[in-house]
Amino acid sequence: MDCPVPYLDLAAQMRPMRAEIDAAVARTLDRCTFCLGPDVAEFERAFAQFCGAQHAIGFNSGTSALHVAMRLLDIGPGDEVITTPYTFVATSWAISYVGARPVYVDIDPATFNLDPRRVEPAITARTKALMPVHLYGQPSHLDPLRQLCQRYRLALVEDAAQAHGAKYQGTVVGTAGVLSAFSFYPGKNLGAYGEGGALVTNDAALATRARALREHGSRERYFHDEIGYNYRLEGIQGAVLGVKLKYLAAWNAARRQVARRYQELLAHTPLQLPVEADYAESAWHLFVVRHPERDALKRHLEAHHIGCGLHYPLPLHLQKCFASLGYQPGDFPAAEQAARQCLSLPIYPELTETQIQRVAAVIADFFRA
Ligand SMILES: *Cc1c(COP(=O)(O)O)cnc(C)c1O
């Protein structure tokens, strides 16, 4: 029988570095530094450097990092944040958690990212920030967004949860705005062995306040300057991430190679393939193709033991949890069509040439039938 191709294979990634991981975790166990501590501090320094930023602050998830970003900007009830309806829900959670309102604008169907041309008409006196997402690892078009932020005095917050090491005009993402949030959920390009996230910034005052907010709003233990959270990154996750960060650039290069092979092998199928904008070097977190018969193709792949995913099947403006925002079907046609047509193929550094060819062959077979 043909070999199955799992959608994700975390075991394959762990195998070659298992001894290194075991040693790093053992050091944390020996030191008993379980919450924050030296492993987290060391990883924060290394990750800030990787992003070309002054400060990285570890969190217990990307969602927590995004939430604290909203707190750091003093965004709250009555405020609006312009963002994309076509992303993982956590982007909008951050806005909702502080009592502000997510204001959606449609995506550019070519990149799946927030369309900068649609942002300006959505700006009101209540708008406090723009929150683009670098979806599937491809940076949003940041220059026009930055210009709008300057003109209207808005903050730019990047949701870079899928884009560790992606480049915008040659620069690693994370410093275009005032704050950027990353996730280290296990399946991300840089994943912990559990939950994790980070904020990245060049602003020392924001970094200091972020460190306080993640630890009960205190700079000095048992003295609480403002209402904070328990959003600490665990020591063991810091140790794991410190080991894995050293491989991230090579892993991203391997993802790029997988993407290139898919582009070659699928070029002559009816699939719409992902494109890299001229300003972008994607981190290739996901490889998302489009086709009107997406559901049938997904069933075909799964019947042949090829894993695939939907990112995302329902845009945020149509989710039940956001019904009170008052959006309707048809409000964001590009996002809605992407949700109907998108299909994520397996992409990870360890995917072999044989596996890539098998995915392509099974897809070709679908269109021949
Ligand atoms: C994964 C993800 C998050 C949330 O990160 P967690 O670490 O899972 O909380 C936020 N935004 C986007 C776009 C994501 O993909």
Side-chain angles (χ1 to χ4, degrees):
M1 204 194 89
D2 281 325
C3 63
V5 184
Y7 179 66
L8 194 64
D9 191 351
L10 294 178
Q13 188 189 59
M14 193 192 301
R15 225 169 282 127
M17 59 181 182
R18 181 58 188 260
E20 232 183 319
I21 294 281
D22 284 349
V25 170
R27 273 197 299 278
T28 313
L29 295 181
D30 288 340
R31 284 201 288 238
C32 290
T33 48
F34 298 123
C35 305
L36 299 175
D39 298 298
V40 169
E42 208 173 298
F43 168 69
E44 287 174 337
R45 275 192 296 277
F47 191 65
Q49 191 178 13
F50 178 86
C51 297
Q54 295 293 314
H55 311 276
I57 304 99
F59 281 84
N60 63 348
S61 76
T63 305
S64 304
L66 284 164
H67 179 196
V68 165
M70 296 294 99
R71 283 289 312 273
L72 290 169
L73 297 169
D74 297 313
I75 292 170
D79 295 334
E80 297 176 352
V81 177
I82 296 175
T83 187
T84 168
Y86 192 65
T87 175
F88 182 60
V89 68
T91 314
S92 276
W93 284 155
I95 304 164
S96 300
Y97 287 174
V98 296
R101 180 186 169 86
V103 171
Y104 299 123
V105 302
D106 210 352
I107 58 167
D108 177 346
T111 63
F112 298 100
N113 278 324
L114 191 130
D115 185 345
R117 290 163 300 190
R118 297 178 189 274
V119 171
E120 192 164 17
I123 296 173
T124 72
R126 299 169 194 266
T127 309
K128 289 284 154 38
L130 305 185
M131 187 145 65
V133 179
H134 306 316
L135 201 71
Y136 309 152
Q138 164 143 258
S140 285
H141 200 357
L142 292 165
D143 270 354
L145 298 176
R146 252 189 314 227
Q147 282 161 17
L148 288 171
C149 285
Q150 273 159 15
R151 192 171 323 141
Y152 293 95
R153 300 187 173 283
L154 310 175
L156 181 64
V157 178
E158 297 169 71
D159 181 342
Q162 303 187 356
H164 324 68
K167 289 178 184 166
Y168 179 76
Q169 291 175 351
T171 304
V172 174
V173 298
T175 55
V178 63
L179 291 157
S180 294
F182 290 84
S183 165
F184 306 124
Y185 187 73
K188 301 290 164 87
N189 285 34
L190 178 62
Y193 291 153
E195 304 278 352
L199 276 178
V200 162
T201 185
N202 280 330
D203 185 315
L206 288 182
T208 301
R209 192 173 163 214
R211 288 178 194 284
L213 281 170
R214 78 170 167 188
E215 209 172 11
H216 301 290
S218 58
R219 287 174 203 201
E220 191 186 339
R221 203 163 204 189
Y222 305 128
F223 293 88
H224 309 279
D225 305 331
E226 58 180 327
I227 290 176
Y229 311 94
N230 179 355
Y231 281 173
R232 289 178 291 233
L233 181 61
E234 293 187 350
I236 287 175
Q237 303 309 337
V240 167
L241 289 164
V243 171
K244 293 184 74 177
L245 178 60
K246 290 182 271 180
Y247 298 99
L248 179 56
W251 285 336
N252 280 352
R255 285 174 180 274
R256 165 167 292 278
Q257 177 63 12
V258 174
R260 202 177 64 79
R261 287 299 287 143
Y262 274 143
Q263 301 276 12
E264 288 165 0
L265 295 170
L266 301 173
H268 302 295
T269 67
L271 292 179
Q272 191 179 324
L273 301 178
V275 288
E276 229 172 2
D278 56 5
Y279 50 76
E281 188 179 314
S282 179
W284 291 106
H285 174 56
L286 301 182
F287 191 90
V288 178
V289 299
R290 296 178 61 156
H291 194 268
E293 289 171 64
R294 186 271 314 274
D295 292 333
L297 175 58
K298 180 168 187 284
R299 282 193 296 274
H300 177 80
L301 286 165
E302 285 165 351
H304 290 81
H305 309 287
I306 292 172
C308 46
L310 301 184
H311 303 92
Y312 294 89
L314 187 66
L316 300 187
H317 68 289
L318 302 179
Q319 296 281 352
K320 208 177 191 178
C321 62
F322 294 125
S324 66
L325 297 175
Y327 291 107
Q328 301 296 326
D331 282 347
F332 306 112
E336 290 167 35
Q337 193 184 50
R340 283 191 299 270
Q341 298 188 339
C342 67
L343 185 66
S344 309
L345 302 181
I347 186 167
Y348 36 91
E350 300 78 19
L351 204 64
T352 65
E353 172 67 17
T354 311
Q355 289 175 311
I356 297 167
Q357 286 186 15
R358 171 125 204 284
V359 174
V362 172
I363 290 173
D365 177 55
F366 173 80
F367 288 112
R368 255 196 309 271

